[in-house]
Amino acid sequence: MKISSRDLEMQESPIRKLAPYADKAKAEGVKVYHLNIGQPDIKTPVEMQKAYSEVPDVIAYGPSNGLLEYREKLADYYTGIGQGIKSDNVFITTGGSEAIIFTLMSALSPGEEIMIPEPFYTNYNGFAAMAGVSVVPVTTSIDDGFHLPSIDVFEEKLTDKTRAIMFSNPGNPTGVVFSREELEELIAFAKKHDLYIISDEAYREFTYGESKTVSIMEFKGIDDNAILIDSVSKRYSACGARIGWIITRNKKLLDLILKFGQARLCPPTVDQIAALAAMDTPRSYFEEVVKEYKGRRDFAYEELISIPGVIAKKPEGAFYMVLSLPVEDADNFAKWLLSDFRLNGETTMVAPAGGFYSTSGLGKNQVRIAYVLNKNDLKKAINIIREALKVYPGRL
Amino acid sequence: MKISSRDLEMQESPIRKLAPYADKAKAEGVKVYHLNIGQPDIKTPVEMQKAYSEVPDVIAYGPSNGLLEYREKLADYYTGIGQGIKSDNVFITTGGSEAIIFTLMSALSPGEEIMIPEPFYTNYNGFAAMAGVSVVPVTTSIDDGFHLPSIDVFEEKLTDKTRAIMFSNPGNPTGVVFSREELEELIAFAKKHDLYIISDEAYREFTYGESKTVSIMEFKGIDDNAILIDSVSKRYSACGARIGWIITRNKKLLDLILKFGQARLCPPTVDQIAALAAMDTPRSYFEEVVKEYKGRRDFAYEELISIPGVIAKKPEGAFYMVLSLPVEDADNFAKWLLSDFRLNGETTMVAPAGGFYSTSGLGKNQVRIAYVLNKNDLKKAINIIREALKVYPGRL
């Protein structure tokens, strides 16, 4: 039996290709520190946990665009960020993933193109494949801390099929936080060419003092262009709740998004009730969490750049950073860590960064680190990288 | 701003077009009996409700194909139905909706065709549009109780683009339950032409004595063709939990489904925990529920066919039936019920069946009834239809 031609477009991520090596190491009794994934160890707020017991007698379908009370409360959250955002501008989805899938399917026709600064979140490739649209990468550099290149670079990549620009801000995998000025330039470009701007702000609360997240919803005159993607996953350390949302003032686009939403009926009902309750989480929870991540970032960054040959810019947000390593092939290094290197019976798993680039060959000597472990584990995990690089046969 | 060309393919269902009329009636203080939707009034089993409080400290991502323990227990459920179904053959999804979307995206390439007996569940159109595939309807008749037509009819509709056949069994909106013999003929046809057979068995537990659901997984020699779709929605009256699954023995297909699954990360974690607990629901719960629906079906059927001019066959499963009414246009009749007809300040909402047909013009005088109300309400709701037909100006 033939399967879909989409098989060619749906790549397996390099992290997943590594999984068997990690499993093998664990089976041998080796402790593996996971710096490769964005699954935080932070506890979900009790307000949210408790609300899961508020199960209705009949767990019925909810509205396709989400529970009204939740949409209203989310609209309130953006007061002061995006003026005039009402519950009607909010569309609840099953995680940020579905938010992006519905956005791409609604904003772009099959065969059209979307520009994405690279390195970018690998799953954007899968979502684009589902929507039948092509990703056009716009390369950013580790030397600039992965900030946007000059608009000329975007202009060069523009074709008559370009319909949208998408990015995550704060950035996964880079930790970059875009400045108001660079967003203004990008917006001018998008307006000039009638492009959608899809701003994935799933990490919007995670910035560490120097630069706050500037939301796409703060800008005037782009009501029809601007689409914000957000989710409870990272904010409340509730990745498994699968609640996300789309915010846009583009009514025509929302009407089409609703049709996709109606086809799949509704997002999960009880998780929405819990996500609504999560919004009563006291400010102190976030202050604690951000303080914790800031401490981890500072620690991880200082430790990592003290390793000879390692290059990185201090990330400004999210909980990732991309490092350049003194190795020829980070993919092989990551495999070797799992298969061959042990320090006191322990090793570290990192995400080779090549998979975050769409342009083949880029990021070959880079890895992504997620600082989602406590400082003690982080210290051991990074020390393993330090010691491993001293003896790695493929070291440059 | 241009939106996606998919807008043309994503139709709004005729039921949704009626919603404003229902809202208006309610705003005027009219009580509306909803025979138009498949939202049961049955309580979710307490086993499932209680399990929602078993929230982990960190609501983390689960595996992309679902929690292993749940997949194992689901595999057990099919013991005796489908021989040799293991946890690896089960893929958990966010509702039956996502199960169908992933199946269509994995089994068919964009531009290929899927045959579906009509009338069929309207959202199949939306899923096909998302996957970029064309629906080829195979018309069934109310006179045969919507059983499958002769295989010649399928042969006539076959093209070199046909890749799959899909149906719901027991049927929504028809209540048909396919016999072993008619499935055997369809399977022979599918094998001959290398087609996938997608059997949506969401209502598999809801049959009323005469014919039990024959699962696609019971048949030998079609390991690569057969795909079963199922869900907790109707079985546990837990539509809002959004947990469904795909079962297939086709390993290559499952590998591609997993890629789509990985892109969207995972189905909701706590809902899976609850769905797992739901499997400990005592058999008596289902016996009660099926007894209740059987009673409602018998009652609704007898009442409805006693109305002069109404034609129907007794449905064998699910909780729907399609009626032929003595009216020219059921769409107008449904609107008129909501806008103009009142019996003691009450009226009834039905689903015009035209939207369940893909062939334009079919089902124009038919409606779908969902017997999801208690018998007392059902009696009043049907009596409204009886009285309405006596005075409806568009009566034939």
Side-chain angles (χ1 to χ4, degrees):
Chain A
M1 295 288 293
K2 212 176 67 173
I3 61 169
S4 174
S5 60
R6 286 188 183 85
D7 193 37
L8 304 169
E9 296 153 44
M10 297 297 293
Q11 304 141 354
E12 197 167 27
S13 94
I15 308 180
R16 285 185 198 110
K17 281 189 209 145
L18 281 181
Y21 297 88
D23 292 345
K24 191 158 173 281
K26 285 176 196 170
E28 291 163 7
V30 176
K31 177 168 171 74
V32 178
Y33 293 102
H34 285 277
L35 296 185
N36 59 303
I37 47 166
Q39 172 56 59
D41 62 344
I42 305 279
K43 279 191 188 170
T44 309
V46 286
E47 288 78 7
M48 182 168 188
Q49 290 193 40
K50 274 188 193 158
Y52 269 98
S53 54
E54 293 167 26
V55 183
D57 272 359
V58 183
I59 304 175
Y61 290 126
S64 293
N65 58 349
L67 300 176
L68 177 60
E69 199 185 344
Y70 186 39
R71 287 188 290 114
E72 282 172 346
K73 201 144 177 176
L74 282 170
D76 286 349
Y77 165 92
Y78 292 96
T79 306
I81 298 170
Q83 294 302 316
I85 291 171
K86 306 280 177 223
S87 59
D88 281 353
N89 303 115
V90 183
F91 190 98
I92 314 287
T93 55
T94 306
S97 305
E98 192 185 67
I100 298 172
I101 296 168
F102 284 179
T103 296
L104 297 187
M105 284 193 172
S106 302
L108 290 88
S109 301
E112 291 186 329
E113 295 172 1
I114 184 162
M115 287 182 172
I116 312 183
E118 67 178 350
F120 58 81
Y121 178 51
T122 338
N123 287 328
Y124 288 170
N125 285 316
F127 304 146
M130 287 188 207
V133 303
S134 304
V135 171
V136 175
V138 177
T139 310
T140 66
S141 163
I142 193 167
D143 303 326
D144 308 324
F146 300 104
H147 278 274
L148 295 175
S150 114
I151 288 300
D152 297 348
V153 182
F154 285 88
E155 290 279 6
E156 276 163 29
K157 297 264 188 163
L158 191 83
T159 77
D160 55 1
K161 289 184 176 172
T162 313
R163 293 298 302 147
I165 307 164
M166 178 162 70
F167 50 80
S168 67
N169 178 35
N172 174 10
T174 61
V176 70
V177 178
F178 294 143
S179 70
R180 188 172 299 275
E181 292 67 34
E182 62 190 321
L183 285 171
E184 274 169 356
E185 281 189 53
L186 198 63
I187 285 166
F189 169 76
K191 274 184 75 168
K192 181 176 158 193
H193 299 293
D194 253 347
L195 308 179
Y196 289 101
I197 314 169
I198 306 164
S199 176
D200 177 354
E201 301 180 12
Y203 297 92
R204 66 184 335 285
E205 299 273 2
F206 300 96
T207 58
Y208 307 116
E210 305 84 349
S211 337
K212 294 281 174 210
T213 305
V214 179
S215 175
I216 200 67
M217 284 295 139
E218 296 181 36
F219 296 91
K220 310 252 185 250
I222 51 165
D223 284 8
D224 280 349
N225 310 70
I227 303 163
L228 184 154
I229 306 290
D230 207 339
S231 127
V232 303
S233 294
K234 312 296 171 174
R235 188 167 312 159
Y236 305 108
S237 195
C239 299
R242 312 312 298 132
I243 297 295
W245 54 94
I246 300 165
I247 296 190
T248 180
R249 298 184 181 93
N250 185 326
K251 180 77 182 62
K252 224 167 110 190
L253 189 72
L254 272 171
D255 284 347
L256 179 50
I257 290 169
L258 180 62
K259 291 188 193 173
F260 288 108
Q262 286 172 338
R264 66 67 165 119
L265 304 166
C266 66
T269 300
V270 184
D271 300 275
Q272 284 182 82
I273 295 170
L276 172 64
M279 297 193 75
D280 293 328
T281 306
R283 200 62 225 163
S284 58
Y285 170 90
F286 298 102
E287 286 161 4
E288 276 298 309
V289 169
V290 170
K291 195 177 145 200
E292 173 66 27
Y293 277 125
K294 186 175 192 299
R296 290 178 186 183
R297 179 206 58 166
D298 292 343
F299 176 79
Y301 174 72
E302 294 301 335
E303 287 288 310
L304 283 161
I305 59 155
S306 78
I307 300 174
V310 170
I311 298 168
K313 292 268 174 182
K314 199 171 193 177
E316 302 153 297
F319 34 66
Y320 307 100
M321 71 180 103
V322 172
L323 317 170
S324 172
L325 298 182
V327 301
E328 200 182 336
D329 186 317
D331 222 337
N332 290 341
F333 176 65
K335 267 182 215 156
W336 177 84
L337 274 179
L338 293 169
S339 308
D340 295 287
F341 187 78
R342 310 289 180 252
L343 187 67
N344 307 320
E346 300 180 338
T347 195
T348 295
M349 185 167 174
V350 295
F356 299 106
Y357 288 85
S358 188
T359 305
S360 150
L362 290 186
K364 228 184 150 189
N365 68 332
Q366 297 175 0
V367 296
R368 184 190 73 174
I369 294 290
Y371 41 97
V372 292
L373 303 182
N374 65 60
K375 224 182 271 179
N376 200 28
D377 285 354
L378 211 48
K379 184 172 188 163
K380 287 186 197 159
I382 294 171
N383 197 38
I384 287 166
I385 296 173
R386 181 191 304 275
E387 295 304 316
L389 281 171
K390 286 181 187 167
V391 296
Y392 178 54
R395 195 195 151 103
L396 290 182
Chain B
M1 295 288 293
K2 212 176 66 173
I3 62 170
S4 175
S5 60
R6 285 187 182 85
D7 193 37
L8 304 170
E9 297 152 44
M10 297 298 293
Q11 304 140 354
E12 197 167 27
S13 94
I15 309 180
R16 285 185 197 110
K17 281 188 207 144
L18 281 180
Y21 297 88
D23 292 344
K24 189 155 174 285
K26 286 177 197 171
E28 290 162 6
V30 175
K31 177 168 169 76
V32 179
Y33 293 102
H34 284 277
L35 296 185
N36 59 303
I37 46 165
Q39 172 56 60
D41 62 343
I42 306 280
K43 278 190 189 172
T44 309
V46 285
E47 288 77 8
M48 183 168 187
Q49 289 193 40
K50 274 188 192 158
Y52 269 98
S53 54
E54 293 167 25
V55 183
D57 272 359
V58 182
I59 304 175
Y61 291 125
S64 294
N65 59 347
L67 299 176
L68 177 60
E69 199 183 345
Y70 186 39
R71 287 188 289 114
E72 282 172 346
K73 200 143 179 178
L74 282 171
D76 285 351
Y77 165 93
Y78 292 96
T79 305
I81 297 171
Q83 293 302 316
I85 291 171
K86 306 281 178 221
S87 59
D88 281 354
N89 303 116
V90 183
F91 190 98
I92 313 288
T93 55
T94 306
S97 305
E98 191 185 65
I100 298 172
I101 295 168
F102 283 179
T103 296
L104 297 187
M105 284 194 172
S106 302
L108 290 90
S109 302
E112 291 186 330
E113 294 173 0
I114 183 162
M115 287 182 170
I116 311 183
E118 66 179 353
F120 59 81
Y121 177 52
T122 337
N123 287 329
Y124 288 170
N125 285 316
F127 304 146
M130 286 188 209
V133 303
S134 304
V135 172
V136 175
V138 177
T139 310
T140 66
S141 163
I142 194 167
D143 303 327
D144 308 324
F146 301 103
H147 279 272
L148 295 175
S150 114
I151 289 299
D152 297 347
V153 183
F154 285 89
E155 290 279 5
E156 276 163 30
K157 297 266 187 163
L158 192 82
T159 76
D160 56 2
K161 287 184 179 173
T162 313
R163 293 298 302 147
I165 306 164
M166 179 161 71
F167 50 80
S168 67
N169 178 35
N172 175 10
T174 62
V176 69
V177 177
F178 295 141
S179 71
R180 188 172 300 274
E181 291 67 34
E182 62 190 322
L183 285 172
E184 274 168 356
E185 282 188 52
L186 197 63
I187 285 165
F189 169 76
K191 274 183 75 168
K192 182 175 158 196
H193 300 291
D194 254 347
L195 308 179
Y196 289 101
I197 313 168
I198 305 164
S199 177
D200 177 353
E201 301 180 11
Y203 297 93
R204 64 185 335 284
E205 301 273 2
F206 301 95
T207 59
Y208 307 117
E210 305 84 351
S211 338
K212 295 281 175 209
T213 305
V214 179
S215 175
I216 200 67
M217 285 294 139
E218 296 182 34
F219 296 91
K220 309 252 186 251
I222 50 164
D223 284 7
D224 280 348
N225 309 70
I227 303 163
L228 184 155
I229 305 289
D230 207 340
S231 126
V232 302
S233 294
K234 313 296 169 172
R235 188 167 311 159
Y236 305 108
S237 195
C239 299
R242 311 313 297 131
I243 298 293
W245 55 94
I246 300 165
I247 296 189
T248 180
R249 298 184 181 94
N250 184 326
K251 179 76 182 64
K252 222 167 111 191
L253 189 72
L254 272 172
D255 283 347
L256 179 51
I257 290 170
L258 179 62
K259 290 187 193 175
F260 289 108
Q262 287 172 335
R264 65 69 164 118
L265 303 166
C266 66
T269 300
V270 184
D271 300 275
Q272 284 183 82
I273 294 170
L276 172 64
M279 297 193 74
D280 293 329
T281 306
R283 199 62 225 162
S284 57
Y285 170 90
F286 298 102
E287 285 162 6
E288 276 298 309
V289 170
V290 170
K291 196 178 145 200
E292 173 67 26
Y293 278 124
K294 187 176 190 303
R296 291 179 186 182
R297 179 205 60 166
D298 292 343
F299 176 79
Y301 174 73
E302 294 302 336
E303 287 288 311
L304 283 162
I305 59 156
S306 77
I307 300 173
V310 170
I311 299 167
K313 291 269 173 179
K314 199 172 194 176
E316 303 153 296
F319 33 66
Y320 306 100
M321 70 180 103
V322 172
L323 318 169
S324 172
L325 298 183
V327 301
E328 200 182 334
D329 186 317
D331 222 337
N332 289 340
F333 175 66
K335 267 182 217 158
W336 176 84
L337 275 178
L338 293 169
S339 308
D340 295 288
F341 187 77
R342 310 288 180 252
L343 188 66
N344 307 320
E346 300 180 337
T347 195
T348 295
M349 185 168 174
V350 296
F356 298 107
Y357 288 86
S358 188
T359 305
S360 150
L362 289 185
K364 227 185 151 188
N365 69 332
Q366 298 174 0
V367 296
R368 184 191 73 173
I369 295 288
Y371 41 97
V372 290
L373 302 182
N374 65 62
K375 225 182 271 179
N376 200 30
D377 285 354
L378 212 47
K379 185 173 188 160
K380 288 186 197 160
I382 293 171
N383 197 38
I384 287 166
I385 297 173
R386 180 191 305 275
E387 295 304 317
L389 281 172
K390 286 181 188 166
V391 296
Y392 178 54
R395 195 194 153 104
L396 290 182

